[in-house]
Amino acid sequence: MKNVLIDIKNLKKSFGNQHILQGVTMQLFENENLVILGKSGTGKSVLIKCIVNLLKLDSGSIKVDNYEIANCNSEELIEVRKKIGFLFQGAALYDSMTVRENLTFPLTRLDKKFLKEEITQKIENVLDDVSLPEAIDKMPSELSGGMKKRIGLARTLIVNPKILLYDEPTTGLDPITSDEISQLINKTKNKFKTSSIIITHDIKCVKTVADRIIMLKDGTVYKEGSLSEFENDPDSYIQSFFN
Ligand SMILES: Nc1ncnc2c1ncn2[C@@H]1O[C@H](COP(=O)(O)OP(=O)(O)OP(=O)(O)O)[C@@H](O)[C@H]1O
Ligand SMILES: [Mg+2]
């Protein structure tokens, strides 16, 4: 039996009379890359914002490592937040801070007891992991889009999360840089044994990273399966994503 890290049952979320998620049931297993596909506006970002409690669900259940998110008190939510790294759509670095300061922030926010030397060591290690050691004292404005994504990932990885949520990690990047980010997603999974949800429209990225795919349509899960099951599905709606 595979260990379930995120267990979502019949999740519903509306904004006014816009019924975005209409009963989503899905799981994230340990040490897998799960890709979520779905056309723009189907609620992919809403889904992962519900997982990290940035949005409150209307009904249904989201369990992260057996914590029912909706019932967590503030201490429990902090515990859950430590397990999850969230790479937002767009890199979202703090523009007025150097890379070093951007990477210090998540460490000191969750846990105040790190020594200065420990922080420096962690920053150096994580910049090595994303192959950007030379960026440590740069400002975000001095970085390319791909470099910003890497620093965004470094900022997520620095607190050693078990679960990573990537919202469109390759959007806006050239094909070569996109490939590098896709490889980095795989490297992260293999090195740190993380489990990830990756939202993407980039089929090349899907082909590189996906252990399993879930497609959302009309507020529910339309299909779940492996890459080859999706590629070989004659359904024209599914094919429209792959061609
Ligand atoms: N905070 C909010 N308040 C009101 N409506 C919202 C809010 N967040 C999202 N929505 C609406 O929910 C729908 C789904 O949005 P979401 O951002 O999840 O789409 P998506 O699948 O991530 O699309 P894309 O592929 O373009 O990123 C959209 O119609 C959006 O306008
Ligand atoms: Mg989105």
Side-chain angles (χ1 to χ4, degrees), residues 127-194:
L127 286 174
D128 272 345
D129 286 327
V130 299
S131 308
L132 273 181
E134 69 281 9
I136 188 160
D137 290 313
K138 294 212 157 99
M139 299 300 290
S141 59
E142 298 174 85
L143 305 174
S144 69
M147 290 162 101
K148 282 187 198 161
K149 293 270 189 194
R150 282 171 187 269
I151 301 300
L153 179 58
R155 197 176 55 178
T156 306
L157 289 176
I158 200 161
V159 292
N160 302 319
K162 289 169 72 171
I163 300 169
L164 288 163
L165 308 177
Y166 298 91
D167 198 349
E168 307 213 6
T170 64
T171 301
L173 302 178
D174 64 78
I176 293 170
T177 311
S178 294
D179 279 351
E180 287 170 3
I181 297 289
S182 301
Q183 302 293 348
L184 196 52
I185 291 172
N186 280 345
K187 181 181 143 192
T188 301
K189 176 194 160 201
N190 295 330
K191 180 166 179 193
F192 300 106
K193 303 285 172 252
T194 45

Side-chain angles (χ1 to χ4, degrees), residues 109-120:
R109 186 181 60 122
L110 287 173
D111 218 326
K112 304 243 180 290
K113 53 182 193 293
F114 290 112
L115 301 172
K116 197 160 184 276
E117 303 79 70
E118 279 180 294
I119 291 178
T120 304

Side-chain angles (χ1 to χ4, degrees), residues 40-41 43-46 49 89 167-168 199 201:
S40 192
K44 304 180 299 296
S45 296
V46 167
K49 284 179 187 160
Q89 200 163 353
D167 198 349
E168 307 213 6
I199 294 175
H201 294 281

